[in-house]
Amino acid sequence: MGPTPEDSARAARRVELEETARHAAGRDDCAAVGRAIADLQRLDPSFDPRRDPALARCIAGSPGTPLPGGIDDASTVEVVDDYRTQVLYADLASFGLVVTGLALNQPDDSLVAAVPFWGGVAGLVFAAPIVHVAHDNSDATAKSLGLRLIGPGFAYFMIQEDNCTDECGGLLFAAVGVAALGVTVASLIDQKYLARKIRRQPATRAWQPMLRVDDHGALAGIGGHW
């Protein structure tokens, strides 16, 4: 059974529109290219202009050109910047400094112990937010810093409320536990939910074979987009 008159008319119309789009691309008339592509996609929703090098050159500089599948911009792609391991390493290094300070805490070496201990404490609070800043993720920076201040802040008010000194061993131990728990929970939340950013970047160049067959003949070549 051969093609119906409707199929033949649709195929002829598609060839006509493709030629119109290519001629417009040759004239750098990207507005006309966009109109022709829109008409082509009404005939065939799966039509992808990026497979045609002549059209791809035009739509790369025209973000408004219609594309299949709800894609709005052929010149950029969505990329997930995942840097959870960097946050993990920052927290592990800070935790290592805290442990080192505790191990060196001898009566005659208080300064030697205080430097790594308080350096590690500061790292547990500020190191991960700095990593977020390095990845230009301001939203995660604020959330990370806020989460990491909850535990130590609550511990500080526990001690201040009772005017606690070194003689308040039980309360100090509880305050340190609250601070450690708060920072640990904040670190886990940070790594799981905050240490990633979705951004758009220029699409890399890609080439693929192209084969098109219809009632008017066959077309073979290489298509690409960037």
Side-chain angles (χ1 to χ4, degrees):
M1 182 177 178
T4 65
E6 182 180 348
D7 292 336
S8 299
R10 183 182 296 271
R13 176 60 174 164
R14 172 167 177 160
V15 171
E16 178 187 351
L17 288 171
E18 288 177 355
E19 289 301 320
T20 299
R22 291 193 190 95
H23 286 313
R27 302 191 308 270
D28 291 328
D29 186 354
C30 292
V33 170
R35 291 192 295 271
I37 290 175
D39 290 337
L40 277 165
Q41 289 181 339
R42 278 192 285 271
L43 287 174
D44 180 7
S46 65
F47 175 75
D48 189 346
R50 294 171 299 178
R51 295 181 179 180
D52 189 313
L55 304 184
R57 284 193 298 271
C58 188
I59 64 178
S62 301
T65 302
L67 297 172
I71 303 173
D72 295 322
D73 190 349
S75 62
T76 61
V77 293
E78 190 175 85
V79 176
V80 177
D81 185 9
D82 190 332
Y83 52 94
R84 287 176 291 185
T85 55
Q86 297 178 28
V87 172
L88 174 62
Y89 292 154
D91 285 340
L92 288 177
S94 300
F95 180 73
L97 287 175
V98 171
V99 173
T100 300
L102 292 174
L104 294 175
N105 188 21
Q106 301 297 327
D108 55 346
D109 290 327
S110 58
L111 181 61
V112 174
V115 171
F117 176 82
W118 289 110
V121 170
L124 287 171
V125 175
F126 297 108
I130 291 174
V131 174
H132 291 304
V133 170
H135 286 267
D136 195 26
N137 195 346
S138 57
D139 185 53
T141 300
K143 292 178 180 177
S144 175
L145 184 60
L147 285 170
R148 290 167 183 272
L149 287 174
I150 292 175
F154 190 68
Y156 174 79
F157 284 113
M158 285 175 60
I159 296 173
Q160 291 296 110
E161 184 69 20
D162 291 340
N163 296 317
C164 190
T165 64
D166 291 338
E167 298 178 358
C168 304
L171 184 57
L172 280 174
F173 183 79
V176 170
V178 168
L181 178 61
V183 171
T184 300
V185 172
S187 176
L188 293 175
I189 294 174
D190 207 338
Q191 294 168 40
K192 186 171 180 61
Y193 299 107
L194 301 181
R196 61 197 304 271
K197 181 180 180 181
I198 299 177
R199 56 187 174 83
R200 298 195 70 85
Q201 70 177 25
T204 56
R205 181 172 296 181
W207 300 96
Q208 60 185 358
M210 179 177 63
L211 176 64
R212 184 175 301 150
V213 180
D214 56 32
D215 295 339
H216 298 272
L219 175 65
I222 297 176
H225 66 278
W226 54 89

